[in-house]
Amino acid sequence: MPGGRSGSGAELYVVGVDVGSTAVKCHVYDRAAAVRGSSCRKVESLYPRPGWVELDPEALWSQFVGVIKEAVQAAGLHMRQVAALGISTQRSTFITWHKRTGKPFHNFISWQDLRSAELVNSWNRSLLLKVIHVIFTVLHFFTGNDRYLAPSFLTFSTQQTSTQLSWVFKNIPEADEAAKENNCCFGTVDTWLLYRLTKGSVFATDYSNASSTGVFEPFTKCWNPTLCNLLSIPMSIYPPVKDTSFNFGSADSEIFGVPIPIMALVADQQSAMFGECCFHPGDVKLTMGTGGFWNVNTGRYLFASSKGLYPLIGWKIGEEVVYLTEGSMSNIGTTIKWAQDINLFTNVDETAKMARSIVDSQGVCFVPGFQISANDPYLCASFMGLKPTTTRNHLVRAILESVAFRNKQLFDVIVKKVRIPLQTVRADGGVSNNGFVMQMTSDLINKKIEKPSNTDMSSLGAAFLAGLASGLWTDKEQLKKLRQIETVFEPQKDMEEYRPAMDTWMQAVKCSLHW
C-alpha cells in the first residue's frame, strides 16, 4: 500500500470508475467494499451520420475527471486518502491520435457504430475469406489445435475493432499518413484515459481490454499480425499490454491536486466478472446493461471461437491468466430506454408490474435490432402481431420477454459449446433490477440466478483489482467474503410453458432478417 498517502494515518480508500456506453459512474469504496461516495454523469453519444456512433474525447475526459472529484467530495474525503484508482471501460470503442502532438484524428468510434457495414459485407463475401476458411479447416483437421478452429469459420462484424480500424486508415488520410511515419497511436478508452491522466507519459493497455478488440490473439497473447496484414492495419499503432492489476503510474498532480496511483485497467465485462467474484471455472455472469453479456470462467483453458461465442482473457495478475468464454447481444437497455422515450411507460420501475398485470403478450412480439443467431447489421427492429386490443402493457411485456428469450438462446449455445459444468448464474447491470426479466430468465434456463445488492459490478471489479495491487485487500478469498446478495431467483415455471410464445417470437425474428 502506498505509505503515508493520507498524511495523518487516516483510513485509505479505493476509487472505481466505470466508463460505460450511457454513463460514467464513480464509487469510493472502503475496506469493507461499502460505497462511501458516488457520482454519475451521462455519456452523450454523437450520431453524425445514419449508423455512425461517436463520443467526443474531450467531453468524455471532462466527465471522467468530474465524477472522480464529485465522488471523493461526496464521501467527505481528501484526495490524499485515495490509495488507488481502478478504471473499467466500455470495450472496442477506440480512438487514434498523433504520437507527437497528442491530437486525435477523429472522435471515439463506438462499438455500436455501423460505418464499416459495407466493408464487413465485402469481406464476408470475398473469395479470400473462403480460401482462409479452407486452409484453417485443413490445419485444424490435421493438427487438432484449437488455435486453427476460429479462423476456419472467421466472419467479420461491425462490432470488431479490426474492421473499424481498417475503415479509419482507408478514409482518414491524416491517420494513414501518421501511421506510415510511426506517429499514430491506437487506444481503447482505457488507453486514452491513462495517456491523459499521465500527461502523455504512459501508453499502455491491459490484457482484458486488448483481447476484447478482436485484434489481439488470446492464444499467443500478442497483437495479431496476420489479421492486421489482411486488413492493411499497421502494427506500429498498438500500445504495450500490461497486467490487469498493475501499477500503471500516477495521475499527474495537476489533475486532482495530488498524484493518485492508477492500479488497474480492465474491460467492463471482465471487471463485472471480477466484481461478482466469479473466480472459479464454471462461474457464470450475466450482465444486462446497454447490451447483454454472458461470461463463463473457463480457468486456464481457452476455448476457441464458435458461432455465437468467443474467447477472452478475463484478467492477468502476475503469473495467473484467467480465460473467459463470452456471448453477447446488443439493444437491451437501449431498447427499454427507447420504449420510455416514446412514452410506453413513465418510470422504468413500472415495467415489471405492467408485464405481470396481463397473462401474456397476446401474441405480440418485439424483435430488437440485433440477434446472436444472425450477425446481421441490417436486421429490422419491429413489433409484430399487433391487434386492436393491444395495450401498452402488451408492448412492454413483449419487450421484456424478448430480453429473456435472447438470454435463453445464448445460454443454450453456452451449454452446448462450453465443456465445463456451469455453476450459479450471477446477474448485474441496470436491467437485472427488473424482476420480471430475471424470473422469466431463471425459468427458461432452469437455473438459480443471484443478484447482488450493488449492481454496478464493473466499478466494483475495477476497485477490487486496484485494491489488490495497492494492498488494501490481500487476496481473492478476502474479496469473496465482501459479496452481498440481495435477491435469489429460483425457477418457478417449466420451460415448456413458454414454448409457444418463444416459437412465435423466433418466427418474428426470421421475418426481420436482412431488412
Side-chain angles (χ1 to χ4, degrees), residues 21 43-46 53-57 60 90 93 107-109:
S21 301
V43 171
E44 295 288 350
S45 294
L46 307 174
V53 187
E54 298 181 351
L55 301 174
D56 181 336
L60 193 68
Q90 58 179 286
T93 295
N107 285 334
F108 276 107
I109 297 176

Side-chain angles (χ1 to χ4, degrees), residues 39-85:
S39 180
C40 177
R41 290 192 183 186
K42 187 179 178 183
V43 171
E44 295 288 350
S45 294
L46 307 174
Y47 306 95
R49 296 188 193 177
W52 290 30
V53 187
E54 298 181 351
L55 301 174
D56 181 336
E58 289 305 317
L60 193 68
W61 168 249
S62 175
Q63 290 162 331
F64 174 79
V65 172
V67 293
I68 294 174
K69 289 179 177 178
E70 289 163 5
V72 172
Q73 185 177 17
L77 304 175
H78 190 279
M79 286 291 181
R80 288 193 303 269
Q81 291 174 264
V82 177
L85 171 63

Side-chain angles (χ1 to χ4, degrees), residues 14-17 27 29 86-87 271 458-468 473:
V14 63
V15 170
V17 187
H27 299 297
Y29 300 93
I87 304 170
S271 188
S458 294
S459 177
L460 180 61
F464 276 171
L465 286 157
L468 286 175
W473 295 297

Side-chain angles (χ1 to χ4, degrees), residues 443-462:
D443 292 343
L444 287 169
I445 68 173
N446 196 33
K447 276 271 185 188
K448 182 169 73 173
I449 305 178
E450 296 177 354
K451 187 179 86 71
S453 50
N454 174 10
T455 57
D456 285 340
M457 282 294 124
S458 294
S459 177
L460 180 61

Side-chain angles (χ1 to χ4, degrees), residues 493-500:
K493 286 185 181 180
D494 190 271
M495 161 59 199
E496 290 306 311
E497 293 186 45
Y498 295 101
R499 181 74 65 190

Side-chain angles (χ1 to χ4, degrees), residues 195-215:
Y195 186 82
R196 291 294 299 266
L197 283 167
T198 59
K199 293 286 182 79
S201 67
V202 183
F203 178 52
T205 188
D206 93 294
Y207 282 89
S208 69
N209 276 293
S211 75
S212 301
T213 62
V215 190

